[in-house]
Amino acid sequence: LSGWACALICTALAAGEVAAADDAAVGATRVVMLGSGTPMPDPARRGPGVAVIAKGRAYVVDAGEGIFRATAASTPDYGGRFPELHRTRLTRLFLTHLHSDHTVGVPAFILLPWTLGRTEAPQIYGPPGTARLVRGILDAYLDDIDQRRYGLGQGNDTGWRAVAHEVAAPGVVYTDDAVTVKAFPTEHTTYPVTWAYRFETPDRVVVISGDTRPCQGILDAGAGADVLVHEVIGVDDRDKAPWGKAKHMRLDLGDVSRFYHTTTEELAGIAKQVKPRLLVLYHEQNWSDPYEPDALVEEIRRFGYDGQVVSARDGDVY
Ligand SMILES: [Zn+2]
Ligand SMILES: [Zn+2]
């Protein structure tokens, strides 16, 4: 087995645990599932967040609820194997869109590492509206920031100064000596601009869908990916979904897939076209009853996709 295949299989066998890859060489690109969840407060799944580790650096995509603690959980301090995710090294965040389930962790990403010693200012990339979000967070926490800067003088004066970079057009949005990050347009609700991100490193291509309905952008983003991390809705137990019942959100599956998200049937079709080496399901709307953790993997297979596919668990490594 190549190291990559071993990492994949180890991950599949030890769901929910950090995989014991045999080639954790410095520089090998890895994907760490920080949070595999949705707005549903499933205690086993943090809000959405994925880290790409390359060449000694960490790049985080989305900051759902609990993401800061998830980064810590994958560091050696807490039994993980990625020093790149240490709090003082969290400086690059990419937002797919500004829904709260993907952004409530942004204040934590900006402020808590700073209070614990990070000196480098975080750089936050995202669609139009990101600058207002960052500005608003810094304004909302001004008392805290002032206390820490001037109160007892323990806070440095650089690590809190988050810089927003609004991504208004597709293409290369970020590059350094470890990675090139490209944004591809997705389609989600009535947002005019939402992004999937494609990370290209010397050894791998990793694509993270964010939230999207099926669209050309995800086909373009996913082409040739080693790892495609994609959102998905199950269809077998669709009647159990809250959006089918709630008075404020009376939608059926057709509405949801037309406007918001991607069904297992649709994702199987996407995967057949883009042929990722590994498809990772996250932000799963798995309403199976009784609950079956791999229900959506089974649906994807049933819809005719026979490539490698796994259901993400928080802390998994690919
Ligand atoms: Zn969303
Ligand atoms: Zn979402």
Side-chain angles (χ1 to χ4, degrees), residues 113-184:
W114 167 58
T115 70
L116 297 168
R118 184 191 61 205
T119 56
E120 189 175 340
Q123 308 293 317
I124 302 177
Y125 298 78
T130 299
R132 185 173 63 181
L133 177 75
V134 169
R135 202 166 55 238
I137 290 167
L138 294 178
D139 185 50
Y141 284 92
L142 189 58
D143 282 348
D144 169 85
I145 292 166
D146 280 351
Q147 278 295 321
R148 294 181 194 278
R149 289 171 70 195
Y150 306 120
L152 291 174
Q154 78 274 44
N156 65 68
D157 196 29
T158 49
W160 64 275
R161 296 175 182 273
V163 179
H165 304 266
E166 293 200 339
V167 179
V172 174
V173 298
Y174 176 89
T175 185
D176 62 22
D177 63 351
V179 68
T180 296
V181 184
K182 296 175 180 170
F184 288 76

Side-chain angles (χ1 to χ4, degrees), residues 39 48 97 99 101-102 188 211 261 283:
H97 65 301
H99 267 154
D101 55 314
H102 297 250
H188 183 52
D211 290 0
H261 295 295
H283 202 283

